[in-house]
Amino acid sequence: MAKAAPQIQSEVAALPAHIAIIMDGNGRWAKQQGIARVRGHKQGAEAIRTLLEACKTRPHIKYITLYAFSTENWNRPKDEVSDLMELLRHYIRHEAKTMHKEGVRLRFIGDREALSKDIQKELADVEAMTAGNTALTLVIALSYGSRQELANAMKRIGQKIADGSLKPDAVTEQMISEHLDTSDIPDPDLLIRTGGDERLSNFLLWQSAYTELYFTEVLWPDFSGAHLDKAIECFSQRERRFGARNE
Ligand code: FPP
């Protein structure tokens, strides 16, 4: 009997359905222009609009996850933190209705309790309003840190073990994924970091185990549809083997 062909868990990467982005370089962009940092962040918010516009003509993109504010960002000077929170408030209030009309589902990940009560309410309202949309899911990471997210997942799993409803042997990778903030979101195919640094900075550490990484010197406020295409082009030339081997 002929031997069945070995199952190789591999595929030539086609086009990415989920793109995660570390939007770095707002401060340097502002410095280059000789203007205040906050204006760099405002231009960064503009770049998000440009990105979402570009997604409309690239329908293979079904998920975008943006690192907007990390747990470490709380350590920035008070003024900058409050500028970023104000920008976020403004952005959500003004963009949510347009995004809803365009079929965008909004999701927020991270430690919401650390955010002010009014922002927490806005986030919950926007998530509820857009929950049924299917054109694109925009995930915004706010007060997010991957290690904190994993620690929280471990606490909840540990609690189930402590109360006897779960056996330690029954803990699986899938179960851990299901206890993360991203439980309803597939892992990213492509992760882009702008601004020239080449690290993950505590972003989606578990979820990006097999994600293709793309680093660019372009500062986030300058990131355009053409830059997005370049990253996608690079992705599509890579071969994703997921740890297997191609003979
Ligand atoms: C990193 O640039 C960027 C941030 C810490 C914030 C990202 C925020 C935005 C793009 C705009 C606001 C977001 C929303 C969702 C409204 P940096 O300040 O570290 O830049 P630098 O490395 O050049 O100093």
Side-chain angles (χ1 to χ4, degrees), residues 9-234:
Q9 279 201 342
S10 161
E11 57 187 67
V12 172
L15 292 170
H18 183 179
I19 303 180
I21 308 183
I22 301 178
M23 307 178 289
D24 200 8
N26 296 347
R28 276 164 287 161
W29 184 89
K31 201 170 174 188
Q32 276 179 3
Q33 315 279 319
I35 56 178
R37 273 184 84 79
V38 63
R39 290 185 53 196
H41 292 313
K42 281 188 181 148
Q43 202 54 43
E46 280 300 323
I48 299 176
R49 279 189 202 105
T50 305
L51 172 77
L52 294 179
E53 211 40 53
C55 288
K56 287 190 202 162
T57 50
R58 292 153 182 87
H60 58 89
I61 304 173
K62 288 289 171 202
Y63 295 84
I64 291 281
T65 299
L66 301 176
Y67 205 8
F69 195 88
S70 69
T71 44
E72 291 76 20
N73 286 154
W74 290 113
N75 299 323
R76 291 198 174 196
K78 249 173 99 181
D79 284 358
E80 186 174 356
V81 171
S82 85
D83 285 342
L84 278 165
M85 290 300 143
E86 199 40 53
L87 190 57
L88 175 70
R89 219 178 249 117
H90 181 87
Y91 185 84
I92 294 183
R93 271 191 202 140
H94 288 83
E95 301 292 317
K97 281 202 185 111
T98 315
M99 287 196 220
H100 184 41
K101 270 195 220 136
E102 289 173 352
V104 177
R105 174 171 74 125
L106 267 143
R107 281 272 286 105
F108 300 93
I109 57 171
D111 176 20
R112 292 184 193 210
E113 297 289 306
L115 302 167
S116 68
K117 287 270 180 278
D118 70 306
I119 294 184
Q120 288 183 39
K121 182 170 180 331
E122 297 264 2
L123 302 187
D125 290 350
V126 166
E127 277 185 336
M129 177 174 78
T130 62
N133 294 342
T134 55
L136 173 80
T137 297
L138 175 63
V139 184
I140 302 185
L142 289 173
S143 190
Y144 176 85
S146 205
R147 287 182 171 184
Q148 188 182 65
E149 179 193 32
L150 279 161
N152 290 340
M154 297 311 148
K155 271 185 226 163
R156 284 190 283 137
I157 292 173
Q159 194 55 50
K160 289 179 188 168
I161 292 173
D163 71 21
S165 62
L166 180 70
K167 292 212 160 61
D169 279 354
V171 176
T172 60
E173 291 181 15
Q174 193 188 332
M175 186 180 292
I176 294 170
S177 293
E178 285 165 2
H179 284 77
L180 299 176
D181 295 0
T182 51
S183 56
D184 58 337
I185 297 158
D187 289 343
D189 301 299
L190 169 64
L191 186 149
I192 299 172
R193 182 178 185 139
T194 61
D197 285 331
E198 301 193 353
R199 55 176 171 264
L200 292 178
S201 299
N202 205 13
F203 187 46
L204 303 178
L205 301 181
W206 175 273
Q207 297 87 338
S208 59
Y210 289 102
T211 298
E212 296 293 330
L213 308 180
Y214 178 86
F215 301 104
T216 171
E217 294 288 330
V218 175
L219 302 176
W220 175 249
D222 288 329
F223 195 81
S224 65
H227 295 123
L228 177 66
D229 285 340
K230 213 168 154 203
I232 294 171
E233 167 71 17
C234 181

